[in-house]
Each structure stands twice: as structure tokens, then as C-alpha cells.
Amino acid sequence: MATKAAGKLFRDFLRKRVISTSVGAYRHCSSAATSAPKIPHSSKKGRLLTGATIGLIIAGGAYVSTVDEATFCGWLFSATKLVNPFFALLDAEVAHTLAVSAAARGWVPREKRPDPPILGLEVWGRKFSNPIGLSAGFDKNAEAVEGLLGMGFGFVEVGSVTPVPQDGNPKPRIFRLRQEGAIINRCGFNSEGIVAVAKRLGAQHGKRKLETSSSSSPSSDEANHGGKAGPGILGVNLGKNKTSDDAAADYVQGVHTLSQYADYLVINVSSPNTPGLRMLQGRKQLKDLVKKVQAARDEMQWGEEGPPPLLVKIAPDLSKEDLEDIAAVALALRLDGLIISNTTISRPDPVNNNPVSAESGGLSGKPLFNLSTNVLKEMYILTRGKIPLIGCGGISSGEDAYNKIRAGATLVQLYTAFAYGGPALIPQMKAELAECLERDGFKSIHEAVGANCR
């Protein structure tokens, strides 16, 4: 498909070039009747350049037509590295907006190559082609779900989505620490609100479902891979409005409006940029909140697949007692999963030596890796491996993803590394993760989960 498109592009370019050259030649001949038939030296150069260009196009088109789709796909992903320096020159939030817009318009490479079979796994009755996902915060308003899933992520999480639209905190609110591979943000749940997101997800849901049904039969194994609307799993991360006095009501409203499109739901109680939000991680507060949200989800009518799994996203800045309380609530209420973790308010080495570290907000990226992984391992032990955990925080390579899995993660998410590395990072990480599993003798992701805790 990609090679045909490339070939067509070359043919169209060639046709336009030949037509323009022919017209130019005709005009030159018509004027030659009244002037000396002397060809200017510059015109000769132009014709030579045109001829050389046409020759290169023909040769390039012929070569591309012989290249297999997998190789061409690899080229497209590698080519995105050329764009990264341009984004680095832009303001961080402007670059982020452009990246989301590009993915929404399909101006990003689409993965045509199958994932390594060793990366496939089943969680919550859903088949993931690979365990590497994009965390909430990148596509806050569900503008680019199709483009992001098409890049090869095993799952994409949109949000956080608040009931009522809100602008978030004043700008600037995103700060790069490029040398440390980190970002500090204090966005504050900037969101277009659940109505706008529901409308967008509804349209995308119908489109993806139609494309899936037309491209594969329901009985095929391919149809079983993915979520409600087709290949790729979609998570929806729910937040509360800054001015809301009833957090539970906000989350319940999100469930009622958006759960029909979600393959899993997330209660975000751990952003450091919404005042009072992290207090909901206390034992009593969390228990009351989860009960209300579970009841709201379960009272809705669901088909054979049942309601979407409900997860809670927690902070990395928790005490041992806090983690024990959360684990107890998760086990008692049979929570479907935990995401570990959100950004940190701490400034671990070497970030604290960077002047930008004085900015308030949550820190993400490489410096968060050890802290979040330690919390992940502790929670895996406290929950006795009974609850699927999503490892998030500081992942920038397949080796990092593998270490999260060994610490207890069934799935992993990234964001900051993707912001810096772009689409080319995704196939690279999947290949590295597959190599790590094979190197240590694991035949599947599930075999490696919690290996460091056993």
C-alpha cells in the first residue's frame, strides 16, 4: 500500500513536470519564428536540470516500487527523527499542540509491520498486540486516537477529561529539562470537557468499528485483537474540575458519559496540579470514591463484554503507610488495576542542579524512573500480584519497559520520552523489549511480570 502510494506520487510529479516542460517548449518554438534560433546557455542548464530531475524521479520511483512494505515503513519511522530538531526550537506547549494536530490529521507514520508475537498478551479479557502504551496527558481531548494507535502503541489513554471545560493553569506551564530527559508541567487539567470529548470519541468509535468490520470477518483471530471499536485499546482518564466541591460527582459524570467508548477507565487522583486532589488517595476517601464510581458504572446497561475495567492512578510521593492503605482498598473493592505512577513533586538528582527545577509542577521523564519503579515493586508485593499494574514513569527504552515488567507491571506507559524521541521510538522499544524477554528465557510478557519480586 505504502509503495503504491509512493509510486503514484512519483508518477503524478513526473506528469506535471513533463506537461510544464512541454508548454515551455511550445512557447519557445512559437517565438523562434521571429527570432534567431539561438538557445541561451541558461536555458540549456535548465533543461539539463529538468532532465536530471526527471531521471532521478524515474529511478527513485522504480526503486521504491521494488521495496517491500516493511522496509518502507521502517524508513518512514526513521525519517521522523529529522523533524525532532524543529520541534525542539518551539515552545514546549506549541510543539505539543502541533504534534497532536499532526497525529489527528494522519501526518504521522502508520505501522504496517506485525508486532513480535512474544509481546502479545491478554488483560481484562482484551488482547493487546504489545504492552507499550501512551499515557494520559498527551491527547487530552481525544483528538488523535486513530493516528496514535496507528503508530503502533498497544494502547492509548486519553485525558484527563473534566466534566466542565476549563483552561487549566496560566501559561507558561510546561518546561523542558532536555539534558536530563525530563519535563516539568503544571497544566492543571486543561480540558475541553466531557461533552466535546464524547462527541469526538463517538465519531471515532463508529469510524473505527466500520473499518474493522469491512476489513476483517468477525470470526478471524485479528478481530479479537483490540478493544470495542477494533485493533488497539483505548483508555479514558477522568479528572475533576478545579472548582468542584464534589469530586465523586465529577468522576461519576465522566463514567456515565464516556464509559461506553472506553476499553478501560481511570480515576486520576494523583495530579499535583489540582489543589486537594491527592488527598483523595487517603484510605477512607479513596474507598468512598471508588465505591461510588463502581456503582455508577455497574448501574449502566452493558452487553456480553460487561463494563469497562476501572483503574486508579496514584502518585509516586506516597509513604509506606499510604501504599498499604491503597493496596487494602484495591483488594477489598476488587479494583481492576492501578497505574503507578503520576508525576512527582520531588526533584531527584540530577534535576535539582538545573535552574528550571525551581518551577512548580510535576516532574516526569528519566529522573522519575527509579522512584516510580520502587513504588511499583512495593505495590506488586502488597497486592500479591492479584491486580494488574500499569508501570509509568521515566520509561525511554525497551530495557526500561522490561525492568518495569520485572518489577510487577503487566503493561507500561510512556509520554516524556515520546515527546522527545517521536514516533521512531515506538518500534525501537518494541524490538528491544522482545530481545530482553528472549535473552532471559521468557516466552511471554506474563512470565516476566514480577520476576524481581519472586
Side-chain angles (χ1 to χ4, degrees):
M1 193 91 170
T3 54
K4 287 181 181 177
K8 185 177 183 299
L9 181 64
F10 282 120
R11 289 195 297 274
D12 290 345
F13 186 88
L14 176 60
R15 180 175 58 80
K16 291 175 184 176
R17 193 68 174 166
V18 169
I19 289 172
S20 63
T21 304
S22 301
V23 171
Y26 171 76
R27 287 174 179 167
H28 179 74
C29 290
S30 63
S31 63
T34 59
S35 61
K38 186 178 179 181
I39 300 173
H41 186 64
S42 59
S43 178
K44 288 181 179 178
K45 282 185 175 180
R47 290 184 181 183
L48 284 172
L49 181 61
T50 300
T53 302
I54 292 171
L56 285 172
I57 291 171
I58 293 172
Y63 182 64
V64 167
S65 66
T66 64
V67 174
D68 63 278
E69 191 172 61
T71 302
F72 188 71
C73 187
W75 285 350
L76 290 177
F77 274 91
S78 296
T80 61
K81 295 178 182 178
L82 301 174
V83 186
N84 291 345
F86 165 73
F87 279 92
L89 297 174
L90 302 174
D91 168 79
E93 189 154 0
V94 171
H96 174 231
T97 301
L98 285 176
V100 174
S101 181
R105 287 166 171 75
W107 298 346
V108 290
R110 191 167 185 85
E111 184 59 86
K112 300 290 186 180
R113 300 161 293 184
D115 288 334
I118 196 171
L119 299 185
L121 72 162
E122 185 172 326
V123 190
W124 308 308
R126 297 288 187 192
K127 292 185 179 179
F128 291 69
S129 62
N130 72 77
I132 299 172
L134 180 63
S135 74
F138 185 84
D139 188 7
K140 290 176 177 287
N141 297 303
E143 299 172 73
V145 173
E146 189 176 356
L148 294 170
L149 284 173
M151 277 193 276
F153 283 110
F155 62 109
V156 168
E157 189 176 309
V158 299
S160 295
V161 188
T162 58
V164 179
Q166 61 179 31
D167 294 329
N169 294 323
K171 300 177 182 178
R173 53 194 180 185
I174 303 177
F175 308 90
R176 296 186 182 106
L177 296 88
R178 187 172 300 280
Q179 191 173 352
E180 292 82 6
I183 288 175
I184 292 174
N185 94 83
R186 52 170 180 263
C187 291
F189 283 173
N190 50 310
S191 173
E192 293 181 11
I194 59 174
V195 174
V197 172
K199 188 180 296 184
R200 210 169 274 139
L201 285 178
Q204 293 172 1
H205 185 86
K207 182 183 177 184
R208 289 177 60 214
K209 204 163 188 177
L210 183 64
E211 289 175 350
T212 302
S213 60
S214 62
S215 62
S216 60
S217 62
S219 59
S220 69
D221 185 61
E222 185 72 23
N224 294 326
H225 282 266
K228 294 177 179 177
I233 304 292
L234 174 65
V236 177
N237 186 300
L238 305 174
K240 68 175 284 291
N241 281 111
K242 184 177 182 179
T243 57
S244 174
D245 294 325
D246 190 344
D250 280 14
Y251 291 112
V252 165
Q253 193 173 349
V255 169
H256 284 159
T257 310
L258 300 174
S259 59
Q260 60 185 313
Y261 308 116
D263 294 308
Y264 71 88
L265 294 166
V266 181
I267 304 173
N268 188 350
V269 291
S270 52
S271 170
N273 302 313
T274 298
L277 186 70
R278 289 191 166 189
M279 293 177 63
L280 296 174
Q281 295 174 113
R283 186 166 189 153
K284 183 182 185 305
Q285 296 92 326
L286 184 62
K287 187 174 183 180
D288 291 343
L289 175 63
V290 171
K291 276 185 174 181
K292 290 177 181 178
V293 177
Q294 283 179 330
R297 178 199 60 176
D298 295 342
E299 71 186 10
M300 298 174 68
Q301 292 185 345
W302 300 102
E304 294 180 1
E305 295 177 343
L310 183 65
L311 290 73
V312 170
K313 187 169 186 174
I314 67 172
D317 312 303
L318 296 167
S319 66
K320 177 72 180 293
E321 184 180 354
D322 291 333
L323 294 176
E324 289 173 350
D325 286 344
I326 292 171
V329 171
L331 290 170
L333 299 182
R334 297 185 177 181
L335 202 61
D336 297 298
L338 293 166
I339 300 180
I340 305 167
S341 67
N342 213 316
T343 57
T344 178
I345 56 174
S346 68
R347 300 291 184 262
D349 290 332
V351 171
N352 54 6
N353 297 320
N354 190 318
V356 180
S357 66
E359 295 287 350
S360 63
L363 173 75
S364 62
K366 290 182 179 180
L368 177 59
F369 182 81
N370 288 335
L371 176 61
S372 60
T373 305
N374 289 338
V375 174
L376 171 67
K377 185 176 180 180
E378 185 68 29
M379 187 57 73
Y380 180 82
I381 294 170
L382 289 171
T383 56
R384 303 186 293 279
K386 293 183 176 181
I387 298 174
L389 306 178
I390 299 181
C392 182
I395 298 174
S396 58
S397 68
E399 187 78 36
D400 289 342
Y402 179 59
N403 286 327
K404 290 279 188 185
I405 291 167
R406 290 185 64 100
T410 301
L411 302 167
V412 297
Q413 289 179 323
L414 63 149
Y415 175 4
T416 302
F418 177 62
Y420 281 125
L425 181 65
I426 309 168
Q428 177 186 322
M429 282 186 60
K430 289 190 284 190
E432 290 173 355
L433 177 56
E435 289 175 7
C436 290
L437 291 165
E438 292 167 356
R439 178 193 67 202
D440 292 349
F442 293 112
K443 296 179 181 178
S444 68
I445 294 290
H446 282 302
E447 283 188 11
V449 174
N452 290 349
C453 306
R454 294 196 281 269

